[in-house]
Amino acid sequence: MNKKERFEAFVSYFKEAFPEPQTELNYSNPFELVVAVVLSAQCTDVRINKVTPALFEAFPTPKHMAQGSFEEIFELIRSVSYPNNKAKHLMGLSKMIMDDFGGEVPEKHEDLIKLPGVGRKTANVVVSVLYNQPAMAVDTHVFRVSKRLGLVTQTAKSPLEVEKQLVRHIPEEYVHKAHHWLILHGRYVCLARSPKCIECKITHFCRYWEKLEA
Ligand code: SF4
């Protein structure tokens, strides 16, 4: 199977199996999504969803969070990874949203990455989830699964390289969905240490499986 066929099989399978994939982070507006995505770095969505209800109740808007104290925010997020840095990022990004963006989460990728704690990956998640833009956020699941499937070259070293290869081959209308497809498959089936190949539904276009069978 060549690369073109593999990508076609990938889109064909997932658009039928998961036509409307969603992020597993709970949020109800753009500000909450940015906060949840920043908190989710190197942490699980399950853990983030446990802390955000109280956090969003205490600080429902950027204005409230910008006026909050480090101690108050830290206390509410202390169970996530790197709470110290993340509390500083939440204060910083809230202040910047108030000072530079009129209290609204910016819509452009180039503006989002100016916010403290928001890198390329986080900005890609935000624009793809909120605005269905063809941005591919490459986290550890996307990186691993796209390589195992053979969608990207085995020699791809960085998330940016993987992102570019995926975006080049996936039809634009499916890029924002493909991000979720790869994450969810990596989270529940194609696990890092022990991929569940026996119960996997996409062995028919998986390069890793081809090699196992060879
Ligand atoms: S066959 Fe195995 S390696 Fe390939 S996608 Fe499925 S779980 Fe992952």
Side-chain angles (χ1 to χ4, degrees):
M1 184 176 257
N2 64 32
K3 185 162 281 196
K4 184 166 180 284
E5 291 165 338
R6 225 182 276 284
F7 270 99
E8 283 170 358
F10 167 72
V11 172
S12 168
Y13 170 79
F14 279 104
K15 74 178 184 185
E16 291 300 322
F18 298 100
E20 298 300 335
Q22 306 288 335
T23 176
E24 294 187 316
L25 289 169
N26 295 334
Y27 70 98
S28 59
N29 57 52
F31 175 63
E32 289 186 1
L33 179 66
V34 171
V35 169
V37 178
V38 167
L39 288 175
S40 73
Q42 291 171 289
C43 201
T44 65
D45 289 1
V46 172
R47 163 63 41 203
I48 302 311
N49 288 338
K50 285 192 176 141
V51 306
T52 46
L55 182 68
F56 295 153
E57 196 180 337
F59 304 107
T61 66
K63 186 174 179 190
H64 289 92
M65 200 171 277
Q67 291 169 347
S69 71
F70 170 83
E71 290 73 20
E72 287 173 306
I73 297 172
F74 178 88
E75 197 51 39
L76 288 166
I77 65 165
R78 64 181 308 147
S79 64
V80 311
S81 61
Y82 307 108
N84 206 33
N85 276 346
K86 288 177 180 174
K88 287 180 195 157
H89 288 328
L90 295 190
M91 291 180 73
L93 71 85
S94 299
K95 285 197 173 103
M96 189 179 276
I97 288 172
M98 293 309 298
D99 294 344
D100 298 352
F101 297 105
E104 301 290 334
V105 171
E107 294 183 12
K108 290 185 186 160
H109 192 278
E110 70 211 54
D111 289 332
L112 281 165
I113 58 174
K114 292 176 186 161
L115 300 176
V118 177
R120 183 179 180 85
K121 186 180 75 177
T122 299
N124 279 352
V125 173
V126 171
V127 297
S128 67
V129 169
L130 289 180
Y131 311 118
N132 294 341
Q133 286 181 21
M136 172 62 69
V138 177
D139 72 350
T140 180
H141 298 301
V142 174
F143 193 85
R144 179 182 72 255
V145 176
S146 57
K147 277 192 167 192
R148 280 192 184 147
L149 286 172
L151 295 175
V152 304
T153 56
Q154 299 307 302
T155 51
K157 294 238 173 348
S158 66
L160 184 57
E161 218 175 317
V162 168
E163 176 188 328
K164 284 182 175 169
Q165 290 188 31
L166 290 173
V167 170
R168 193 180 308 141
H169 290 99
I170 297 171
E172 197 171 300
E173 66 190 292
Y174 292 114
V175 171
H176 68 284
K177 295 186 178 184
H179 159 73
H180 297 303
W181 292 337
L182 290 164
I183 285 183
L184 295 173
H185 196 66
R187 198 173 277 166
Y188 297 110
V189 184
C190 193
L191 310 183
R193 292 203 181 150
S194 319
K196 300 178 181 173
C197 300
I198 298 301
E199 60 188 74
C200 181
K201 302 277 198 300
I202 57 174
T203 52
H204 59 290
F205 63 87
C206 177
R207 186 173 178 276
Y208 182 94
W209 179 259
E210 272 170 19
K211 289 188 143 194
L212 281 183
E213 289 230 297

